[in-house]
Amino acid sequence: MSTARSRRRGLVAASVLATATLVAACSGGGAGPEETSDEGDAAGSENNPVTLSVATSQNEQTPNYYCGVELLKERLETADVGFTIELYPSSQLGPDADRFPQVQAGDIDIDLQGASALSSTFEPIGVVDASYAFNDVEHAFQWIDESSEGLFTNFHEATGVTIVDGWFFGSRTFSTADIEITSPDDLAGVPIRFPNSPQFLANAEALGVTNPVSVAVEELYTALQQGIAVGQENPIVATQSSSYFEVLNTASLNNHQVGIHWILVSDATYEKLSEEQAAMLDETIREIRPENRTCVEEATEEILDELRSDPAFTVVETEDIDIDAFISQSEEFFESYFTGESLEAYQAIRESAG
């Protein structure tokens, strides 16, 4: 992934200018955090040194890491407002669901999580991980920018954690051994591994997988080697970084889920920050989003180009797949699967597709 990594170096080289601009914006004139009163400095105005931890399940070979959390560290530390950032990739601080209580307590300051793990604490957030909830990446980010406030506000009220933004980490597709997937019918009876969470297992049913295999991610490579599962679903970049293509020889680009890692910061962490530091944190997370997306997309295409050139490998292109059949089947399933607030949120997302 040389082009993607070269892009990261270019992004890092631009970080000094970017963070300087943000510092100027956050420290602009008028009444603000630098004002003082008879009591002395206003509360929250002093940039005391603070060390923030950033946790993710992603390993260091994925673009969501080297074009995401590494950029966050470099830009925040370069801003010279007191930040020191410690990174914990590859689930070093525990799997997603186990880390979330630590985020709520402020023991982990910034975490990247998928919505399925978060739904064990706040069920309605899981709808954003439903298969074909979003038509594509553009739809997902349009929804984040224009329509997510209600769901995110309810999530914060229930958990004390803010979803600052979402970073794309790739569209989930099927990778299999010798099985081309062009419609839901091709999945009947095929043992495909899905993560063991209610939302992912619901996705399996919605997509037509009648024999899902729920092994832990740590056991997935062995399960594929031994034929316990003959396929799995992940973004192309994650499949590559985990070496699953060593035992799988077919990728079907049905793009059934827009993979987004939500960037989480708790109230407990914000309480440690000055107003300028808090603004810098939020703005930096948001400014990285489009750069991260470009990096992920470039890395994905590099991997696919290599696979397409391999005569022993088959890539089933999106235009050769009956996407409409997958979308229709998923919509029909989730209209009866979701209830209450979850159903309302799902319907709102689908309506926003236009």
Side-chain angles (χ1 to χ4, degrees):
M1 295 187 289
S2 57
T3 301
R5 290 188 181 275
S6 296
R7 178 176 181 81
R8 176 187 173 275
R9 287 194 291 270
L11 295 174
V12 172
S15 66
V16 174
L17 176 61
T19 49
T21 301
L22 281 171
V23 170
C26 292
S27 306
E34 297 302 322
E35 277 193 350
T36 59
S37 67
D38 293 341
E39 309 301 324
D41 287 347
S45 66
E46 185 177 355
N47 293 327
N48 293 317
V50 59
T51 298
L52 301 183
S53 55
V54 183
T56 176
S57 60
Q58 295 283 285
N59 64 46
E60 293 159 287
Q61 285 70 51
T62 55
N64 201 239
Y65 182 81
Y66 59 77
C67 283
V69 293
E70 282 191 343
L71 283 181
L72 183 65
K73 171 181 171 67
E74 288 153 352
R75 293 187 178 182
L76 290 178
E77 292 183 343
T78 303
D80 195 26
V81 293
F83 282 121
T84 298
I85 308 299
E86 297 178 345
L87 304 183
Y88 297 91
S90 303
S91 300
Q92 290 180 22
L93 301 183
D96 289 355
D98 291 352
R99 293 199 311 271
F100 189 66
Q102 299 178 69
V103 177
Q104 290 178 289
D107 295 330
I108 294 175
D109 295 297
I110 305 165
D111 204 310
L112 280 68
Q113 294 253 0
S116 295
L118 299 175
S119 66
S120 63
T121 303
F122 181 70
E123 184 175 345
I125 199 68
V127 304
V128 302
D129 266 356
S131 59
Y132 296 107
F134 299 109
N135 286 0
D136 50 32
V137 186
E138 287 296 333
H139 177 205
F141 286 136
Q142 179 182 350
W143 176 81
I144 291 172
D145 291 337
E146 298 177 4
S147 307
S148 64
E149 183 178 359
L151 184 60
F152 286 3
T153 296
N154 291 344
F155 177 84
H156 175 259
E157 291 176 350
T159 65
V161 174
T162 295
I163 298 175
V164 181
D165 206 338
W167 290 347
F168 181 55
F169 72 97
S171 293
R172 299 182 83 96
T173 65
F174 289 112
S175 299
T176 56
D178 298 316
I179 298 173
E180 297 183 20
I181 297 168
T182 61
S183 75
D185 293 341
D186 296 326
L187 291 166
V190 179
I192 302 286
R193 184 266 179 178
F194 277 76
N196 188 21
S197 76
Q199 185 57 61
F200 276 111
L201 294 177
N203 286 352
E205 187 173 351
L207 293 166
V209 178
T210 58
N211 187 24
V213 177
S214 298
V215 299
V217 67
E218 295 82 5
E219 302 169 1
L220 178 52
Y221 188 95
T222 301
L224 294 169
Q225 274 186 316
Q226 296 176 349
I228 297 170
V230 300
Q232 56 92 48
E233 51 87 54
N234 253 313
I236 292 295
V237 290
T239 302
Q240 173 80 351
S241 69
S242 298
S243 302
Y244 300 145
F245 286 133
E246 293 178 357
V247 290
L248 301 174
N249 62 5
T250 306
S252 301
L253 307 182
N254 66 310
N255 300 330
H256 55 268
Q257 182 185 332
V258 178
I260 296 176
H261 276 152
W262 304 101
I263 319 301
L264 309 174
V265 182
S266 74
D267 292 345
T269 290
Y270 280 120
E271 289 171 1
K272 299 189 292 188
L273 306 180
S274 70
E275 293 176 9
E276 184 179 14
Q277 287 170 331
M280 175 65 64
L281 174 61
D282 288 356
E283 291 294 333
T284 304
I285 288 170
R286 291 177 180 133
E287 74 163 2
I288 286 172
R289 185 224 284 182
E291 302 169 24
N292 177 79
R293 174 185 172 181
T294 298
C295 182
V296 171
E297 291 174 338
E298 288 178 350
T300 299
E301 282 307 307
E302 287 181 22
I303 296 166
L304 286 173
D305 285 345
E306 292 178 6
L307 296 176
R308 291 176 181 121
S309 66
D310 183 350
F313 200 94
T314 300
V315 176
V316 182
E317 305 291 349
T318 303
E319 56 265 28
D320 297 322
I321 297 174
D322 191 349
I323 300 296
D324 289 340
F326 275 115
I327 292 175
S328 297
Q329 182 164 303
S330 293
E331 285 183 329
E332 181 179 357
F333 175 84
F334 286 118
E335 283 288 342
S336 59
Y337 176 81
F338 291 129
T339 60
E341 186 178 351
S342 296
L343 178 59
E344 292 175 7
Y346 172 77
Q347 291 174 331
I349 289 174
R350 292 306 302 146
E351 289 170 5
S352 71

